[in-house]
Structures are given as C-alpha cells and as structure tokens.
Amino acid sequence: MPVTPRPGPRSGPETINEISYPRILRCGDRAIGIEFSDTVSEAANLKVLSLDASLAAEPIDGILETIPTYRSLTVIYDPKTVRGASLGEQLLQRAAQDAAAPDTGRLLEFPVFYGGEHQADFDEIAELKNTTAADVIALHSSAEYRVYMIGFAPGFAYLGGLPEILHTPRLAVPRQRIEAGAIGIGGRQSSINSVPGPSGWRFIGRTPFKLFDPARTEAFLLKAGDRITFRSIDIDEARELDEKVAAGTAELKEIAR
C-alpha cells in the first residue's frame, strides 16, 4: 500500500472543511500524491483514473510510476529529473484541464460458490443480520460492484457497492491463511482475494478465477474502474471451472453495456 502522505501546498477549486481539492501531498523525497477528496466516492475515483490515464498518454518528464487509489494518485518520480514542487504544480495544472474520466471500465461476471470452506463466516453473517443464508447470497449477488483500486497484495481488488445490510466489521483476530479466490466482506467493502495470505476480512465463498497469475500476459485480471457482478454457482460448476482455470481454458464473461 502507498505510504500515508503528509499535506503539502493546498490548491484547487473544490473546498471541503477549509481544505482545497485537489491538493498535493508529500510522500518522502521521491513521491508525491494528488488528492481529490476527503471521502471515498465514485466521482473522486473517476478524477483519479482520468489523471492517471492522462499521464500515461502524455507523460511528464521524471515520472517513474503512478499508483491510483480510492481518492488520490501517488506519483513516484526521479528527483534528478524533476523537483517535487515543480511536479506538484504540473499535476495540479493537468488535473484542472482534465474532465472526469468516462466510465469505460469493463463489466465482468464472476461465478461464486457461496459457503464451502468459508461456511463459518457465511453463517455468522446471516446470524448477525438476522437473515437467512439464501438472503445473504441474494443480497451479495444482486449488487454491481466497482473496482476502486488494486492494492495490498498483487491483483487484490477493493470493491465498492456492497449492500448496506451486509456491512460487517472485520474479525478481531485475523486468520493466518485465506486462499486465492475467496470472496470477502470487510466493513463497507467486498473483495476478491488474489493470493493466499492472512486476512481479517469475513469470507463467504470463492470464485475459481484467479485475479493474479504471473504466467498470463496480463498478470492482473482486474483494473481500477472495472465493474463486476457475482453469479451464484453450485459445487459441481465450481469444480468444473477449477479444472478449466487450471488448464487455461476458462473465460470470464464480459457483459455488454
């Protein structure tokens, strides 16, 4: 995850709580951030992605890498080529010129086997919400989710759009290992685990598709700005898809919009 930036010079047209947005944030001696809002919103995320796309199309000398997040863009640069203060001004100027990016991300359908090895969380969420397992499945699979950012682990997708009734705090004690493909709930977000590892999220199912595979031409399956839906499948379809994914013959369904 990017380091937490420190506030820098304040500049920009949008003022919230006496702070002007966008604003530049210092991130050490080789990176700065440009922040578009103090809250998570689709509008702010679109501005982040718009600036990221603009810098990819028309690079500024000295920029080495950009990292889009929920509401800010972290920019790593070569201080021998460009000074941070100068780069900050150029980023503010570029942000002022760019309109918010159109919503051009893909809409993808992920098959999910709900329950299974994550049945404990599944049952607990149903109990916490005073509802049934079938209702949890129906609610979680009814929403359209936005990929706000990729981070924490290679290809890990943070998803906005979780129905409010399913908002659930993370576990007090994280589990030491959750497998790739696990579908999680953490606070107001949902997620798809990209690699095995520890996690405090609550998991309710899994998808056979792998978000991260270094053997693929595109190692990351999802990009910020994509949207996804979940389709409930049974154990037989899950096993069939596991085999196809392992053989490299499975295809994720893209829905026309």
Side-chain angles (χ1 to χ4, degrees):
M1 294 286 289
V3 296
T4 301
R6 294 177 296 168
R10 298 174 179 178
S11 177
E14 180 188 351
T15 301
I16 301 176
N17 296 332
E18 299 182 355
I19 297 177
S20 296
Y21 293 92
R23 64 171 180 161
I24 297 299
L25 306 169
R26 294 186 290 270
C27 308
D29 60 355
R30 297 178 62 86
I32 58 176
I34 177 168
E35 186 179 54
F36 289 90
S37 176
D38 66 345
T39 58
V40 173
S41 71
E42 185 169 331
N45 191 242
L46 284 171
K47 291 178 181 178
V48 171
L49 299 182
S50 176
L51 180 58
D52 192 40
S54 175
L55 294 173
E58 298 180 39
I60 294 175
D61 287 344
I63 291 181
L64 302 177
E65 184 180 359
T66 58
I67 306 170
T69 70
Y70 278 101
R71 52 192 175 87
S72 65
L73 183 70
T74 301
V75 179
I76 300 172
Y77 64 93
D78 180 359
K80 296 179 181 179
T81 303
V82 63
R83 298 293 297 271
S86 172
L87 179 58
E89 291 301 321
Q90 292 182 72
L91 291 174
L92 289 172
Q93 293 171 10
R94 184 73 67 88
Q97 296 169 2
D98 291 336
D103 190 9
T104 56
R106 302 165 298 171
L107 177 58
L108 303 168
E109 181 186 84
F110 277 81
V112 176
F113 175 55
Y114 287 97
E117 60 265 48
H118 304 300
Q119 187 71 41
D121 284 344
F122 192 87
D123 289 342
E124 184 177 3
I125 288 176
E127 184 177 352
L128 287 171
K129 305 305 178 183
N130 193 29
T131 188
T132 66
D135 286 339
V136 172
I137 294 174
L139 285 163
H140 190 265
S141 60
S142 69
E144 182 176 291
Y145 298 84
R146 174 180 178 80
V147 180
Y148 272 94
M149 62 175 282
I150 303 295
F152 171 68
F156 184 95
Y158 287 90
L159 308 177
L162 181 70
E164 185 174 357
I165 190 175
L166 294 181
H167 294 181
T168 309
R170 302 182 191 188
L171 296 170
V173 179
R175 293 185 177 90
Q176 292 305 300
R177 182 181 175 94
I178 297 294
E179 298 301 327
I183 306 298
I185 289 176
R188 300 188 305 167
Q189 305 170 97
S190 192
S191 67
I192 305 176
N193 234 36
S194 58
V195 296
S199 177
W201 292 59
R202 297 174 187 264
F203 290 90
I204 60 174
R206 71 172 184 89
T207 179
F209 284 90
K210 307 302 181 186
L211 265 60
F212 175 67
D213 183 352
R216 289 193 303 245
T217 302
E218 293 288 339
F220 291 2
L221 189 57
L222 292 173
K223 299 178 181 179
D226 285 340
R227 293 181 182 272
I228 70 172
T229 61
F230 293 118
R231 177 176 63 86
S232 179
I233 61 175
D234 61 23
I235 185 62
D236 291 333
E237 185 174 355
R239 288 170 176 166
E240 181 181 348
L241 283 171
D242 285 336
E243 294 176 359
K244 289 183 178 179
V245 168
T249 59
E251 293 187 6
L252 195 61
K253 181 179 178 180
E254 182 171 354
I255 302 172
R257 292 196 287 176

